[in-house]
Amino acid sequence: MTIKINNHTFELHQFGAIFWEEKNMLLISDVHLGKVAHFRKHGMAIPNDAIFENFVRLNDVVDFFKPKTIIFLGDLFHSKINKEWELFANWTKEISQEIILVEGNHDIIANYNYENLNIKIFSELIIDTFLLTHHPTEKDSFFNFCGHIHPGIKLKGIGRQYLNLSCFFQKPNQMILPAFGEFTGNFYLVPTENDLVYAITKDGVFEVLIN
């Protein structure tokens, strides 16, 4: 799905990424690499193959858009370095894109580890009239792209049927990206008449009509 914000064109991808056409940039939030390995280390029965799913998704979305730059809007890695860090380091060497990390609350790995991979790190980033952060942030005259919330929407069907979906959640001056990573969970938001919701299904991204 393609939308316009401040006369710029953005394509919403069903993996939860946003492609910024004019800047040839890919925005991704809350991948939480290392989370599967972290859970497995603490005895949770998650298949080992799940470790590779995030990298499959990253490769697919990068191959689809072929951006010049990839900007991760925080919580790229879930916690301390574990065996998934080596997979991530190898992945960065296999792609040609510039990588930027806007730090999130889970990004506790020492910066030099990212710098050794030629990844630039910022606490926030301003590009034209857009403010890129991890936590939702309001700043006059800027439209904010952010993550952190892992937004989801509950859609009510016939009777007591509900459909729970991840979504892009847009407020008048803000877009909250869904979590890109597997096993991240959702926080279900209740939209108001001033909000726009773009739900994610296996078939694509669809705008949800708000009553």
Side-chain angles (χ1 to χ4, degrees):
M1 169 172 278
T2 301
I3 63 173
K4 287 277 191 179
I5 302 174
N6 292 357
N7 295 318
H8 286 246
T9 306
F10 299 91
E11 186 167 346
L12 312 183
H13 191 274
Q14 66 195 81
F15 286 170
I18 295 180
F19 180 66
W20 187 349
E21 186 175 298
E22 286 80 2
K23 302 297 182 182
N24 198 10
M25 288 180 171
L26 189 62
L27 308 181
I28 297 173
S29 189
D30 296 275
V31 184
H32 287 273
L33 293 173
K35 190 170 186 176
V36 173
H38 177 78
F39 282 172
R40 283 176 57 83
K41 180 180 178 181
H42 289 83
M44 294 190 67
I46 300 175
N48 192 52
D49 289 348
I51 288 176
F52 302 99
E53 182 60 28
N54 283 325
F55 295 101
V56 171
R57 290 161 62 88
L58 284 169
N59 284 332
D60 285 349
V61 76
V62 170
D63 288 345
F64 183 80
F65 289 113
K66 296 178 173 55
K68 179 181 178 182
T69 305
I70 302 169
I71 301 181
F72 291 104
L73 298 180
D75 289 1
L76 173 55
F77 213 83
H78 182 67
S79 56
K80 297 178 181 178
I81 287 179
N82 57 33
K83 65 180 181 179
E84 287 187 52
W85 178 263
E86 183 176 352
L87 295 174
F88 173 67
N90 291 335
W91 178 78
T92 64
K93 296 171 184 175
E94 293 170 356
I95 64 172
S96 60
Q97 283 79 8
E98 176 188 26
I99 301 176
I100 294 173
L101 171 61
V102 178
E103 290 180 300
N105 52 293
H106 277 274
D107 294 309
I108 62 173
I109 295 173
N111 286 1
Y112 71 82
N113 291 288
Y114 292 105
E115 292 164 356
N116 288 341
L117 300 177
N118 296 316
I119 296 174
K120 299 176 182 177
I121 301 175
F122 298 89
S123 58
E124 64 176 37
L125 197 59
I126 291 177
I127 302 174
D128 294 344
T129 59
F130 297 91
L131 172 67
L132 279 56
T133 62
H134 176 63
H135 290 86
T137 304
E138 294 184 8
K139 183 174 286 190
D140 288 346
S141 303
F142 288 95
F143 186 93
N144 176 221
F145 283 105
C146 58
H148 183 63
I149 301 296
H150 302 194
I153 187 77
K154 289 181 179 285
L155 303 180
K156 186 177 180 180
I158 298 173
R160 297 183 178 180
Q161 294 179 331
Y162 286 90
L163 184 61
N164 300 331
L165 299 172
S166 298
C167 69
F168 298 88
F169 197 92
Q170 184 176 342
K171 295 177 176 292
N173 291 303
Q174 186 175 81
M175 172 75 83
I176 307 172
L177 277 68
F180 187 91
E182 293 286 290
F183 302 101
T184 51
N186 287 328
F187 180 77
Y188 294 99
L189 299 174
V190 179
T192 69
E193 61 182 1
N194 295 319
D195 300 328
L196 296 172
V197 176
Y198 303 100
I200 296 173
T201 74
K202 64 179 180 179
D203 297 317
V205 180
F206 303 92
E207 184 175 357
V208 175
L209 298 180
I210 300 170
N211 295 327

